[in-house]
Amino acid sequence: MTRCTFIKNLLLLVCIHAGAASMAQVKYYAKDDLQIVISGTSTMHDWDMKTSKGESNATVTLNDAGQLSGLTALSFTVPAESLKSDHKSMDKNAYKALKTRDHTTISYTISSASIKPGGAILCQGKLSIAGTTLDSDLTATGLVNADKSISVKGSKKISMSAFNMTPPSFMLGTVKTGNDVTVHFNLTLRK
């Protein structure tokens, strides 16, 4: 091997190693640094249940510019009874619908994901609510912040009956909630 060939091979190895290092997968997490709001309707008025409790773990890839370029793992778990409305009686009926006595958490785990230009995240995974697990797509936006944390925001419409839940009712059934709810999520992932 000539000296010139040796130097070219050495430079090639350095470039490959530098490229691999810049595209390394990095683990991120969030614990009680999230906002989840479940919004629904009823025959009386619209309602919300909120929580900031829960945790999420993710493995991401950042490109040379420090922007999100890949997502190889993501999971989140929320304690079901951490969701609270402005009315304790509504919470009690919601926990009954969520079957929290036997199923204490709501969780999502991705099986695949892709990142689109502008930070759009498209995920396929498993959503578990009230003891039922279904395949579920999830769309969010991801933004790498100046401090290298990642903000993730999105929403998902869910049918309660699809998860074998009976929409809660109140006042001896005179007030009924709608079957569909929308889950809004906003979390900050950190190294």
Side-chain angles (χ1 to χ4, degrees):
M1 175 183 295
T2 68
R3 180 174 167 85
C4 186
T5 303
F6 174 76
I7 291 173
K8 285 180 186 177
N9 288 339
L10 183 60
L11 287 174
L12 179 62
L13 284 173
V14 168
C15 289
I16 289 171
H17 179 69
S22 68
M23 297 295 282
Q25 293 183 347
V26 182
K27 292 189 180 202
Y28 280 77
Y29 71 95
K31 182 162 177 66
D32 298 339
D33 193 9
L34 51 89
Q35 292 88 40
I36 305 256
V37 179
I38 299 177
S39 301
T41 60
S42 75
T43 52
M44 184 179 281
H45 56 75
D46 293 349
W47 54 268
D48 291 327
M49 294 185 80
K50 302 174 183 178
T51 187
S52 60
K53 302 288 183 191
E55 59 184 76
S56 180
N57 293 291
T59 304
V60 303
T61 304
L62 302 175
N63 63 21
D64 291 335
Q67 298 302 310
L68 192 61
S69 61
L71 178 64
T72 57
L74 172 71
S75 65
F76 75 79
T77 303
V78 174
E81 289 193 3
S82 70
L83 291 161
K84 305 286 184 196
S85 70
D86 293 333
H87 308 285
K88 287 186 179 183
S89 61
M90 180 180 167
D91 295 348
K92 182 180 174 184
N93 286 327
Y95 300 155
K96 183 178 177 183
L98 285 165
K99 306 172 189 170
T100 60
R101 181 173 289 187
D102 297 319
H103 309 287
T104 59
T105 61
I106 298 167
S107 64
Y108 184 77
T109 303
I110 69 162
S111 52
S112 66
S114 62
I115 309 293
K116 302 295 181 190
I121 305 169
L122 309 175
C123 301
Q124 293 293 323
K126 301 280 186 189
L127 178 60
S128 297
I129 303 173
T132 299
T133 301
L134 297 175
D135 290 328
S136 181
D137 62 334
L138 188 66
T139 302
T141 56
L143 174 67
V144 179
N145 301 309
D147 66 355
K148 303 301 181 200
S149 65
I150 301 173
S151 297
V152 180
K153 185 176 184 179
S155 63
K156 172 72 178 167
K157 188 174 182 180
I158 295 171
S159 163
M160 285 193 258
S161 60
F163 286 89
N164 299 312
M165 296 171 56
T166 302
S169 60
F170 310 90
M171 295 190 231
L172 302 173
T174 58
V175 178
K176 297 181 181 180
T177 61
N179 180 54
D180 294 332
V181 297
T182 302
V183 179
H184 306 272
F185 55 91
N186 189 350
L187 61 111
T188 302
L189 295 163
R190 303 181 191 283
K191 289 184 187 180

